[in-house]
Amino acid sequence: GGRGRKGNLQAIEAGIGTLLERMHEGVPDLTSLRGWVADLLPRNLADRIREWSKGKLSSQAEQERLGGAVGDLAARAAALCRLLSHLERLDPDLLGAARRALAPLLARVEGELRARGIETFQSLLSGAAALLASHPEVRSRVRRGIDQLLVDEFQDTDREQCEILRLLALDSAPEERPGLFLVGDPKQSIYGWRSADLRAYDGFVDLVRRAGGEVRPLVENFRSVPAILEEVARVIQPVMRHTPGLQPPFEPLLPCEAKAGSAGFHEEGPAGRTRRPVEYWVSWKNEGEPGEILARTRPGAASELEAAALAADLLDLHTAHGVRWKEIGILLRSGGDLDVYLEALRRARIPFLVGRDKQYYRRREVIEVAALVRAVLDPGDHLALLTVLRSASVGVPDAALLPLWRRDFPRLATDLFRPAPEKLAEVRAVIAEAALAVPADVPGIERVRGWEQNLAAAIEALAYLRESWETDPADLFVERLRRLFLVEATEAARYLGAYRLANLDRFFRQLLTALEEGSGDVTAVLRLLRRNVAEAEEAEEGRPREGGEDAVSVLTIHGAKGLDFEHVYLLQLHKQSRVDRPDRTEIGALPPATGAGDIGNDRRTAEYRVFGAATPGFDEVEAERAAVEAAERVRTLYVAMTRAKDRLVLAGSWPPRETPLDPAQAKTHVDLLLSRPGVPPLAGLFQEAAERGTWSSADATGALWYLPDLHEREAAPEAEREAPELPAPEEVRRAAALLVTRGEEAEERMARPWSTAASEEAHQRLRALQAERRFADGDEREGEEPAATRTSENGGSDRESAMAAGGAVHRALESWDLEAEPEAELARQRALLPSYLAALLGDARPDRAQRRAAALLERFAAGPLLPRLRAAADGIVARELPVLLPPGRGENAPVGYVAGAIDLLYKDVGTGSLVVADYKTDEVQGEEALAARATAYAPQGAAYVRAVAEALGLPEPPRFELWFLPAGRVVMPA
């Protein structure tokens, strides 16, 4: 604590600094160097230096002797600690071995990238700068193509980008330069970790000035009320200390005319707590005796306290004051404790949107559906199978997993490549045995009663999907996956179902794209799914299409840049930046020694660290990064505070000390806030509030200091929290009865088909009509197969042959050239029949169907219907028009949709009204038989007519016609 120790400190700093300067020129004998340091620096003194670097003094005597020099001592001690730490990590042998091992690998990677035509973003920048610098003709040609060059967010540029701008806009005669307009605020430069460089910014602005440019400050703020802008100045001005190339000078913002008279958000009243435009929440938990304050609340406990207080405050704002969710922004220092805050929002049923981060692939619904796809494409992926079994869509209880595995269930599931009846029966038997083996006393097992039926259905669906993957196109496979497992229906019923559906919709779209782009490469798709989930690949969460935009935004400070909200909650003020890992591989460059403005002559030396071994000059890179990080800590606080329009809440666990730190030594935003004038003595405030039973107090500036832990204890005593009120028996009985009713309704709904054809009801009527006629004519004998399903001499059935022939004729009429000569077009369509039938019959022999289709076409061409079709050619609106309809009502109506295709839609030449025509290939003769068939087909016509009328908004429905091709007749159902 005396002058001798201070002298020792200066001598040590000077001695080690000299040695390290020599090391930057060439690595000396490290053994002798470390020995010298050990002799000069006893262990106890090294420990004291580390304590000083944290601003900690060991005694009252040290505090009295050092007085106001504590900040300077901490800065010098921190620099010395960095030097010592760097010295301990130097390992020339390891560094040399790493260079020899990695240099060939690096060359190979670069060569492979060039061979594939791949460039990284950095190589694009450096290549463009090199091209412009070394080829004046290219530089001139590019420059001539630019009239005005506008650069927005200029504070986020790096030296290479500035060099490209210099070559394009400043490195020529004035008359050859394009107009240059830069927009940037150095106080909002917060991307130093992505190479944004304020030295380059300052240097380029100097170049622009020297070239005759002007700098115009913009200080009028159109976002925030005066109280918030005054608080920004009160907090930021003491800590934003101008350092050229590192920290810009602070410039206060002035409110615009429209905001100048606004007081911001105020609330007074005994019912709820007081609110002010600026609030500080002190995240301290009173975990001891009443009035006893812990020296420091644990960060985890502080986050939990903030999360609970946040949810309660948001709920009150929304319900009592009508504040829309979308006008609220929650800003976090990082995403490390994100789930703590989101869970509090979920419990309060507050909708939220999380910005682009690593949470999308951590959502349960995304993990489970990704596992489902993996289980389909890779039958041997038992981890994916386990995830599917435990998913919300299947719901196998954990108590059943061991019985299933003991009965070889994974192998049976792996062997199911298609829905083979014997294999499915074996799996069902195993599931039934496992269900009997599950102990009946497992807590909660009765709530998943019937899981074995659900599992059996899921395994059968899995088999169908594996077969679909082998035989169907990608879009049909994805659609069947969605329909068979009903993942979206399950997730829609869960909390925040609209957001889960949006995530799933986004997943399925991405899956379809990956399948189509991969051209069936299963390995590539599986690798993509596994990597995205395992590494939590960054992706933005899906958003609901309707009504989902009214949600609280949860963002990091970096993600909130450029946005604003009426109410901003800046949380985690106590959160420290990530600690640098000494074993991490990194590369950096020292700033140029020629000065900030010398953009064009930047000769920087690369320094790096690999396998924990650093180059001798890497300590200077680390020191530079530490300085940039400290400066950006001030600027991130500035950016966060200026996002608020009407109310700003700053929450964190404050340190017990009240002495401000030098901004360069601050580790958290709270450390910076200690420099704010007028911070009340928080320990005394907390204890006084606990004794008086209050939880908030305003300071001289009008800012409110709020103690959420005391408010929570006052609003919800411990006894009430431990004994929640239970519902009355009558209410339980009503709920149980309603649940039974809803269950019956759900069973009825599940019994209905997902989709149906528009012709389904017509076909049912037609089958009934045919059965009645066969019975009346005595056409059927007991035990004889119906004629419609008899096997033909060529294999297959008459029904299959007739359906294929009808489909081929429909395809021919869809593509019939109405301007061609009828005979020539008939010959062309007859030649195309084999290709039409091949698509319909697959490997089956098309002989019988082809003869039938050819006969139908000849009768059509020779009859009155072809001239009628040719006469309507100018009025044809569509042929084979796809139709998709809502399901309609009725116990047999589908759940999803009704689908079909209109054979012909045309305008009647005489009346100008629309006509819906449907081709029929039925072999029907006689007026009575035609009328009966027309009546049977009436529901199909009604569906098509309704679809056209609703889609086009017609005042009158179109006419419906049935064109019976074999008979050459047009019939309109009665």
Side-chain angles (χ1 to χ4, degrees):
R3 291 185 178 179
R5 181 167 293 182
K6 187 175 181 181
N8 261 348
L9 176 61
Q10 293 172 340
I12 294 167
E13 185 180 67
I16 294 182
T18 301
L19 282 173
L20 288 175
E21 286 175 8
R22 295 175 184 170
M23 288 170 59
H24 297 160
E25 300 171 2
V27 178
D29 180 0
L30 288 180
T31 304
S32 61
L33 177 62
R34 287 172 176 155
W36 182 87
V37 173
D39 291 340
L40 182 63
L41 196 64
R43 187 66 191 175
N44 61 337
L45 181 54
D47 292 340
R48 288 301 309 126
I49 292 173
R50 289 187 174 89
E51 292 296 308
W52 291 345
S53 70
K54 300 174 185 177
K56 297 179 180 179
L57 302 179
S58 63
S59 65
Q60 184 65 31
E62 277 192 349
Q63 177 68 48
E64 293 173 355
R65 289 189 177 97
L66 292 169
V70 174
D72 182 52
L73 173 66
R76 293 161 68 89
L80 181 54
C81 284
R82 281 195 298 271
L83 290 175
L84 294 172
S85 177
H86 176 62
L87 174 63
E88 292 171 353
R89 293 200 302 266
L90 287 176
D91 191 337
D93 294 336
L94 177 57
L95 186 63
R99 287 170 58 103
R100 291 190 297 273
L102 296 179
L105 178 61
L106 178 59
R108 180 178 174 184
V109 169
E110 291 175 341
E112 184 71 18
L113 290 176
R114 283 195 299 272
R116 296 187 184 185
I118 298 173
E119 293 282 358
T120 65
F121 180 72
Q122 185 56 45
S123 64
L124 287 174
L125 285 177
S126 57
L131 178 64
L132 292 173
S134 57
H135 293 276
E137 69 283 1
V138 174
R139 188 162 67 242
S140 178
R141 185 168 70 249
V142 173
R143 188 186 298 123
R144 285 197 302 270
I146 302 173
D147 294 325
Q148 295 290 332
L149 183 55
L150 168 64
V151 183
D152 196 11
E153 303 289 355
F154 184 60
Q155 75 277 354
D156 295 330
T157 51
D158 60 25
R159 300 192 71 82
E160 211 130 39
Q161 292 167 325
C162 287
E163 174 65 2
I164 293 172
L165 289 176
R166 184 188 72 81
L167 292 168
L168 290 177
L170 301 178
D171 187 43
S172 64
E175 63 274 9
E176 296 178 2
R177 300 173 187 166
L180 179 62
F181 193 94
L182 308 175
V183 182
D185 180 2
K187 298 190 300 302
Q188 297 193 55
S189 178
I190 58 174
Y191 291 101
W193 48 278
R194 283 200 323 213
S195 301
D197 190 342
L198 276 188
R199 285 189 173 85
Y201 173 95
D202 286 346
F204 196 84
V205 171
D206 287 343
L207 288 177
V208 171
R209 279 198 180 99
R210 294 203 297 267
E214 298 182 23
V215 177
R216 300 288 182 88
L218 297 175
V219 296
E220 188 175 11
N221 182 282
F222 293 84
R223 175 186 295 144
S224 306
V225 296
I228 292 177
L229 296 181
E230 291 166 5
E231 187 65 20
V232 169
R234 197 175 292 117
V235 168
I236 302 300
Q237 191 161 14
V239 292
M240 189 173 279
R241 300 174 183 176
H242 182 210
T243 305
L246 187 64
Q247 192 72 285
F250 177 76
E251 293 178 338
L253 297 170
L254 304 177
C256 66
E257 185 177 352
K259 291 279 188 180
S262 176
F265 189 88
H266 279 75
E267 181 192 4
E268 305 282 352
R273 73 170 186 81
T274 303
R275 289 187 175 93
R276 290 287 187 271
V278 176
E279 297 180 22
Y280 287 93
W281 292 7
V282 183
S283 305
W284 281 352
K285 283 192 73 69
N286 192 356
E287 297 178 345
E289 296 298 323
E292 179 185 342
I293 305 167
L294 296 181
R296 178 184 290 273
T297 301
R298 292 178 295 104
S303 296
E304 291 171 2
L305 176 61
E306 289 178 6
L310 169 72
D313 201 62
L314 296 186
L315 206 57
D316 185 63
L317 274 181
H318 182 72
T319 56
H321 299 278
V323 177
R324 297 181 64 185
W325 298 124
K326 65 187 296 183
E327 293 298 340
I328 297 169
I330 300 170
L331 274 53
L332 303 175
R333 184 71 178 85
S334 68
D337 296 326
L338 178 65
D339 285 340
V340 174
Y341 297 95
L342 296 188
E343 185 57 33
L345 298 181
R346 291 188 185 102
R347 285 198 299 268
R349 304 191 68 80
I350 296 172
F352 57 82
L353 289 174
V354 181
R356 184 177 178 87
D357 61 7
K358 295 184 177 180
Q359 299 304 312
Y360 171 76
Y361 284 106
R362 289 176 179 165
R363 296 287 173 254
R364 175 172 174 174
E365 63 272 13
V366 175
I367 291 174
E368 290 179 350
V369 76
L372 173 58
V373 176
R374 288 165 47 196
V376 173
L377 302 188
D378 183 3
D381 189 341
H382 292 170
L383 178 59
L385 175 66
L386 179 63
T387 305
V388 172
L389 298 189
R390 301 181 74 246
S391 68
S393 298
V394 181
V396 175
D398 287 351
L401 296 177
L402 191 56
L404 285 169
W405 255 245
R406 282 175 173 167
R407 288 161 178 79
D408 211 12
F409 176 82
R411 181 189 61 78
L412 296 175
T414 299
D415 291 343
L416 269 177
F417 288 96
R418 56 190 53 82
E422 65 282 358
K423 288 186 177 293
L424 286 174
E426 186 179 2
V427 173
R428 291 192 194 98
V430 165
I431 293 173
E433 291 178 14
L436 294 175
V438 175
D441 58 350
V442 174
I445 194 69
E446 70 281 354
R447 287 182 286 179
V448 289
R449 186 182 298 112
W451 62 264
E452 60 273 17
Q453 288 93 342
N454 203 36
L455 175 57
I459 291 299
E460 185 174 354
L462 193 67
Y464 275 105
L465 287 173
R466 286 173 180 169
E467 183 179 52
S468 175
W469 167 250
E470 296 292 339
T471 59
D472 295 329
D475 57 342
L476 183 56
F477 166 74
V478 172
E479 179 58 34
R480 284 184 171 169
L481 186 145
R482 300 173 81 161
R483 197 168 70 189
L484 286 174
F485 270 84
L486 294 178
V487 177
E488 288 151 300
T490 304
E491 295 300 330
R494 297 178 64 203
Y495 174 58
L496 295 176
Y499 297 93
R500 297 180 187 276
L501 286 182
N503 281 336
L504 288 172
D505 182 66
R506 184 170 180 272
F507 175 87
F508 285 123
R509 282 187 282 110
Q510 289 181 332
L511 174 64
L512 182 57
T513 301
L515 293 175
E516 291 175 341
E517 291 179 352
S519 302
D521 185 352
V522 177
T523 304
V525 176
L526 290 171
R527 186 167 56 244
L528 177 67
L529 289 172
R530 289 178 180 132
R531 186 182 69 241
N532 286 346
V533 173
E535 299 178 4
E537 190 73 17
E538 283 195 1
E540 187 175 357
E541 281 204 283
R543 299 190 180 191
R545 292 191 181 94
E546 299 176 2
E549 291 302 317
D550 190 22
V552 174
S553 294
V554 184
L555 305 150
T556 63
I557 296 174
H558 288 85
K561 189 178 176 185
L563 304 178
D564 52 50
F565 305 91
E566 287 183 7
H567 296 256
V568 167
Y569 294 79
L570 176 55
L571 310 177
Q572 297 179 314
L573 293 173
H574 53 272
K575 186 84 171 182
Q576 292 193 25
S577 303
R578 67 170 177 81
V579 178
D580 185 36
R581 286 171 41 199
D583 59 339
R584 201 167 84 174
T585 297
E586 289 186 282
I587 187 169
L590 300 178
T594 51
D598 200 359
I599 296 294
N601 297 302
D602 183 0
R603 297 292 183 268
R604 295 183 292 169
T605 303
E607 303 286 348
Y608 56 89
R609 180 177 62 200
V610 58
F611 301 134
T615 56
F618 191 74
D619 65 306
E620 294 189 26
V621 171
E622 290 182 303
E624 172 69 12
R625 285 181 178 173
V628 170
E629 183 179 339
E632 284 198 354
R633 190 172 293 110
V634 175
R635 299 197 290 268
T636 53
L637 182 58
Y638 173 82
V639 168
M641 294 180 70
T642 53
R643 300 307 96 196
K645 295 180 182 179
D646 293 333
R647 178 167 169 256
L648 172 65
V649 173
L650 302 100
S653 177
W654 289 63
R657 69 173 185 276
E658 299 176 6
T659 307
L661 280 178
D662 184 280
Q665 301 305 310
K667 299 299 182 185
T668 66
H669 284 152
V670 164
D671 290 340
L672 296 173
L673 288 169
L674 288 173
S675 297
R676 173 195 184 271
V679 175
L682 296 178
L685 176 67
F686 196 99
Q687 187 162 350
E688 181 183 349
E691 293 170 354
R692 290 191 292 112
T694 60
W695 52 79
S696 62
S697 174
D699 65 17
T701 68
L704 193 73
W705 295 81
Y706 172 57
L707 308 169
D709 184 52
L710 299 184
H711 187 187
E712 181 187 5
R713 292 171 185 271
E714 177 74 17
E718 196 70 31
E720 293 183 13
R721 288 202 297 266
E722 291 178 357
E725 183 179 353
L726 296 176
E730 295 79 9
E731 184 179 349
V732 174
R733 280 193 290 270
R734 282 195 301 270
L738 180 62
L739 186 60
V740 171
T741 303
R742 293 286 187 266
E744 292 172 351
E745 293 173 353
E747 288 182 2
E748 293 176 1
R749 182 178 175 85
M750 289 298 293
R752 291 159 54 188
W754 172 256
S755 63
T756 189
S759 59
E760 180 61 30
E761 184 178 349
H763 288 158
Q764 290 177 359
R765 289 189 178 190
L766 187 59
R767 285 192 289 271
L769 182 65
Q770 290 173 332
E772 289 175 5
R773 196 176 73 178
R774 285 197 300 271
F775 180 78
D777 295 345
D779 187 52
E780 293 282 320
R781 293 190 297 273
E782 185 177 357
E784 182 178 81
E785 185 182 23
T789 60
R790 289 186 191 132
T791 303
S792 69
E793 67 274 14
N794 293 320
S797 67
D798 285 345
R799 177 177 174 78
E800 184 181 10
S801 174
M803 291 179 63
V809 170
H810 276 73
R811 180 70 182 84
L813 295 185
E814 178 189 0
S815 59
W816 195 286
D817 186 352
L818 298 176
E819 295 182 359
E821 289 296 325
E823 289 296 329
E825 182 60 18
L826 175 62
R828 186 177 78 89
Q829 292 296 342
R830 288 191 61 170
L832 291 172
L833 282 178
S835 63
Y836 298 158
L837 291 168
L840 295 167
L841 290 172
D843 296 333
R845 295 180 62 184
D847 302 0
R848 185 179 180 87
Q850 185 170 338
R851 289 197 300 272
R852 182 166 185 163
L856 282 170
L857 286 180
E858 289 175 0
R859 291 165 70 178
F860 166 74
L865 295 185
L866 177 57
R868 180 166 181 152
L869 182 61
R870 287 167 58 87
D874 292 341
I876 290 178
V877 177
R879 288 190 273 184
E880 288 297 321
L881 177 67
V883 170
L884 199 65
L885 287 167
R889 299 182 180 276
E891 62 180 19
N892 294 321
V895 175
Y897 57 86
V898 176
I902 295 174
D903 293 336
L904 176 65
L905 181 64
Y906 70 97
K907 281 188 177 181
D908 188 306
V909 178
T911 64
S913 59
L914 283 175
V915 181
V916 174
D918 198 64
Y919 304 138
K920 296 301 177 187
T921 58
D922 306 43
E923 293 283 356
V924 187
Q925 299 295 334
E927 294 298 325
E928 184 179 346
L930 284 171
R933 289 294 175 98
T935 301
Y937 286 124
Q940 180 181 1
Y944 290 160
V945 165
R946 178 166 64 94
V948 173
E950 291 179 359
L952 301 180
L954 301 179
E956 296 292 334
R959 186 172 76 243
F960 179 61
E961 299 177 344
L962 289 163
W963 290 28
F964 288 95
L965 303 182
R969 293 287 306 278
V970 175
V971 179
M972 288 173 281

